[in-house]
Amino acid sequence: PSFRDADTLPAELSDEAYWKIIEDFSEDGGTFTSENFSSNELGYQALIPRLQAFVKPGSVYMGVGPEQNFQYIAGLKPKMAFIIDIRRQNMIQHLMYKAAFEMSANRADFLSIIFSRKRPEGLSETSTPDQLFEAYRNPMDADLAETNRKAIKDLLITRHGFKLTRDDVQTMDHVFDVFATFGGSLNYSSNINGIGRAVPGRGGANNVAYSELMVSSTDNGVNRSYLANEESFRFLKEMHQKNLLIPLVGNFGGPKAIRAVGTYLKERGAIVGAFYLSNVEQYLFRPPQGGFSIHREFYESVATLPLDESSLFIRSGQPPNRARGGGLMPMMSSIMEVLTEFKAGRINAQADVLRLSTN
């Protein structure tokens, strides 16, 4: 439309309003093929400056999965962000991150909290990601881990008043233990067995360590991870302090979460600038046994979001012009163009959306 209401997104949400959005917008949790503790997508560094040329600052960000969203949020500077994932565990993991951001004065403190390692001497706000992760190769400190665990729960449950269930608390313990056990070597398939011992991660060549994701850079040496510098870290910290980064439980093909976000944003005159999909679309096109694929429901839900010509999908996949076996690569495409193709009946497989994408 040529006219829309002025942007009235809140500058800050109360704890009550934040938790009400989580409860009201979320769907029942579902299952996925892995727990996905961290990303395995290294190519985001080169895509971010291209995204910045299109996405309007101050728009709204939507995404899926764990920390890779932080890179895009730090780069695009949205006014508000919603992370929608079918796994309730992903929502709990983002709440753990929220507590760690709020408790930390800087990046070095943050890593000490999420990985339960004592902060080494010599780190400062000018330390590079390489220096930070090299310093945190020290082993987990069991006493510090229990102190951090208690502090995180106290902040979320007592101070913020979030109504976490007993199962939620147990899930947070599990996520916390995996982060503390593996530290910077954590990857998306890291896990521990029932007696707390590390289980080697699987995933082949695409299984990269958390530290590798954070220290990688572009060909000209620029690092755009959320831990690249204090400015990026503080932007995310401030969003968490203001309750403006909201994790939801939702199925991309479900009836509620995406549409609820769309209604909320339309009522406040906001625009979705970027929607990060990872490679979830490939699962939407796969029919479950005895059923139908759910990609239609997804695109119909996306069509209810407030969009404009600058709104972009960020996805990870194998570009049509790239040799197979080369791993996933972040790409972008116009949401409006994809929806136009969908309405014309030309989106029937993942290859159809990849052809509309550029890296």
Side-chain angles (χ1 to χ4, degrees):
S2 59
F3 171 81
R4 65 183 177 88
D5 293 336
D7 182 344
T8 59
L9 284 175
E12 186 170 359
L13 286 173
S14 68
D15 290 336
E16 294 77 11
Y18 173 87
W19 192 252
K20 181 173 173 56
I21 288 175
I22 291 177
E23 289 190 324
D24 290 353
F25 292 11
S26 289
E27 301 170 359
D28 292 337
T31 58
F32 193 63
T33 56
S34 67
E35 292 184 272
N36 197 196
F37 291 105
S38 68
S39 170
N40 62 348
E41 300 167 16
L42 285 166
Y44 69 88
Q45 297 274 1
L47 187 65
I48 288 176
R50 298 199 63 201
L51 294 168
Q52 291 169 331
F54 290 92
V55 177
K56 297 174 182 175
S59 57
V60 174
Y61 173 90
M62 296 178 67
V64 66
E67 94 298 324
Q68 63 265 56
N69 293 284
F70 298 157
Q71 336 288 7
Y72 294 119
I73 292 171
L76 298 177
K77 304 291 192 296
K79 292 181 72 172
M80 202 169 191
F82 294 87
I83 311 300
I84 302 175
D85 198 289
I86 194 171
R87 296 158 293 204
R88 188 171 179 88
Q89 178 170 306
N90 191 74
M91 183 267 279
I92 297 300
Q93 182 167 317
H94 274 287
L95 290 178
M96 184 187 81
Y97 269 125
K98 173 180 174 62
F101 273 107
E102 292 186 22
M103 292 162 56
S104 305
N106 48 50
R107 295 171 297 153
D109 287 348
F110 177 78
L111 290 176
S112 178
I113 291 172
I114 65 170
F115 293 140
S116 293
R117 268 77 175 159
K118 287 185 177 179
R119 176 171 172 165
E121 297 291 333
L123 295 177
S124 71
E125 294 195 351
T126 61
S127 295
T128 66
D130 300 79
Q131 291 169 335
L132 288 170
F133 280 91
E134 181 64 28
Y136 276 107
R137 294 179 65 179
N138 52 327
M140 174 188 71
D141 184 287
D143 291 337
L144 178 62
E146 294 313 307
T147 299
N148 289 342
R149 187 196 308 272
K150 182 179 185 303
I152 287 171
K153 291 178 183 177
D154 285 348
L155 187 146
L156 294 173
I157 299 171
T158 304
R159 178 180 157 191
H160 284 302
F162 300 153
K163 297 176 176 62
L164 299 176
T165 67
R166 180 180 299 179
D167 286 346
D168 290 339
V169 173
Q170 291 176 346
T171 297
M172 186 170 294
D173 281 333
H174 169 62
V175 173
F176 181 91
D177 287 340
V178 172
F179 272 68
T181 298
F182 287 91
S185 66
L186 177 82
N187 60 51
Y188 78 92
S189 59
S190 294
N191 215 325
I192 53 179
N193 62 19
I195 57 176
R197 292 182 179 173
V199 177
R202 295 172 294 175
N206 291 332
N207 210 1
V208 297
Y210 201 106
S211 58
E212 188 177 354
L213 291 164
M214 295 302 113
V215 305
S216 67
S217 60
T218 59
D219 291 340
N220 60 1
V222 177
N223 184 316
R224 292 186 173 88
S225 77
Y226 80 99
L227 296 177
N229 51 62
E230 294 298 325
E231 179 185 1
S232 293
F233 172 81
R234 287 184 183 127
F235 182 83
L236 284 154
K237 175 182 170 71
E238 184 173 340
M239 285 198 74
H240 281 295
Q241 288 175 318
K242 294 181 177 181
N243 290 332
L244 296 177
L245 198 163
I246 306 173
L248 304 174
V249 185
N251 187 335
F252 272 22
K256 184 178 179 183
I258 292 175
R259 292 171 182 258
V261 172
T263 299
Y264 179 88
L265 298 180
K266 281 183 175 179
E267 290 174 349
R268 290 156 180 81
I271 289 291
V272 174
F275 193 161
Y276 166 72
L277 309 177
S278 187
N279 64 338
V280 172
E281 280 168 308
Q282 72 180 49
Y283 301 97
L284 301 177
F285 285 105
R286 295 177 184 174
Q289 188 173 5
F292 299 93
S293 63
I294 56 175
H295 70 281
R296 294 184 179 278
E297 287 83 352
F298 170 65
Y299 294 118
E300 287 170 358
S301 292
V302 171
T304 69
L305 298 172
L307 306 165
D308 66 15
E309 290 76 9
S310 68
S311 303
L312 296 177
F313 277 136
I314 307 167
R315 57 170 56 87
S316 298
Q318 193 131 55
N321 60 350
R322 195 176 190 210
R324 293 187 62 81
L328 299 178
M329 176 177 289
M331 299 173 285
M332 65 182 187
S333 63
S334 163
I335 297 180
M336 303 275 278
E337 182 181 2
V338 171
L339 292 179
T340 298
E341 291 294 292
F342 167 71
K343 291 175 183 177
R346 292 190 288 268
I347 301 292
N348 300 297
Q350 188 187 24
D352 296 327
V353 291
L354 292 180
R355 278 193 288 270
L356 299 172
S357 303
T358 180
N359 51 43

